[in-house]
Amino acid sequence: LSGARRRQLSKFVSGALRHFPADAGIEVDGQGWTRVADLASAVERKYEWADKRHLEALIDTDPKGRFERTSGEGRGAADRVRAAYGHSIDVTLEATESPVPDTLYHGTAPRNLESIRAEGLQPMSRQQVHLSGTRRTARAVGERHTAEPVVLAVDAATMLADGYRIAKPGRETYTTDVVPPTYLSVP
Ligand code: HQG
């Protein structure tokens, strides 16, 4: 696939798994899983140029680890796939045990700072707050919202010591329920 088509497919598949399964004609269970075969059918309905092989290549090679896959265990069990993070639909992802750096980062638009100072980082339209492991990655996330993002540092070590849970779904994304203002350094 061309880069443009690959991005289009990635966006549709992420959207179907995170935000609009019903519109895409798939069913997602309480842990976010759907059948690869059903998602492939949705992809084929949406794009005449894409099929199951393109879908499988996409989910197996996503650079950010956006997708998780189970190969069917036992006879007749289906291959399943889910988004590792980013959901707005109500799903419960079992906690993963990954090491968490002492400091995490979050890139945002300057227009959000006043409200972030007051109420901390909130999940907004998603189920979780999304954090980054490096300033550089946080900046790139913020650039999805604005040309000149602000990068906030998050005191993850103290959050963990205080009992907050931080997961690492995918390869470069950390998630948590909320980051109260006390753990944030806002420039
Ligand atoms: C802001 C991408 C006002 C927050 C990325 C952000 C990420 C507040 C926006 C993933 C606020 C939500 C998610 C508050 C937070 N007041 N604004 N109290 N608290 N905000 O897109 O983190 O490429 O839902 O700063 O890499 O930007 O799709 O979250 O600007 O991992 O795989 O509300 O999406 O991953 O925006 O990005 P989003 P995000 P993918």
Side-chain angles (χ1 to χ4, degrees):
L1 292 184
S2 68
R5 284 188 164 178
R6 197 186 153 87
R7 276 191 294 281
Q8 232 182 320
L9 182 62
S10 174
K11 233 179 156 110
F12 172 72
V13 171
S14 294
L17 293 171
R18 294 170 176 179
H19 310 304
F20 49 80
D23 288 353
I26 58 169
E27 273 181 45
V28 163
D29 73 13
Q31 283 78 47
W33 297 104
T34 195
R35 286 194 194 86
V36 174
D38 293 350
L39 187 56
S41 302
V43 162
E44 286 165 7
R45 283 193 295 275
K46 175 85 178 170
Y47 302 114
E48 88 283 349
W49 43 261
D51 63 21
K52 186 157 188 264
R53 288 170 309 135
H54 298 112
L55 173 67
E56 292 187 324
L58 181 88
I59 62 190
D60 292 343
T61 64
D62 183 83
K64 292 174 77 171
R66 290 181 177 92
F67 311 108
E68 292 174 0
R69 189 173 177 183
T70 61
S71 55
E73 278 153 42
R75 264 194 304 170
D79 252 20
R80 284 169 192 272
V81 59
R82 72 176 175 185
Y85 61 90
H87 301 82
S88 58
I89 56 167
D90 186 10
V91 294
T92 306
L93 306 180
E94 51 288 343
T96 49
E97 290 296 326
S98 283
V100 175
D102 287 350
T103 306
L104 291 171
Y105 301 93
H106 179 86
T108 191
R111 62 178 176 272
N112 298 328
L113 289 182
E114 196 181 323
S115 144
I116 290 172
R117 276 194 195 93
E119 55 187 45
L121 291 173
Q122 299 289 333
M124 310 305 280
S125 65
R126 303 189 198 251
Q127 296 285 308
Q128 299 260 281
V129 172
H130 291 68
L131 305 171
S132 304
T134 66
R135 282 189 180 277
R136 174 200 286 258
T137 308
R139 169 164 293 274
V141 172
E143 281 170 350
R144 293 161 46 258
H145 300 289
T146 184
E148 290 294 337
V150 181
V151 174
L152 316 180
V154 175
D155 182 357
T158 306
M159 283 185 71
L160 291 177
D162 289 350
Y164 288 85
R165 306 185 73 158
I166 301 175
K168 187 187 184 191
R171 267 192 271 293
E172 55 180 51
T173 303
Y174 295 82
T175 54
T176 192
D177 291 338
V178 61
V179 181
T182 172
Y183 304 105
L184 285 171
S185 51
V186 183

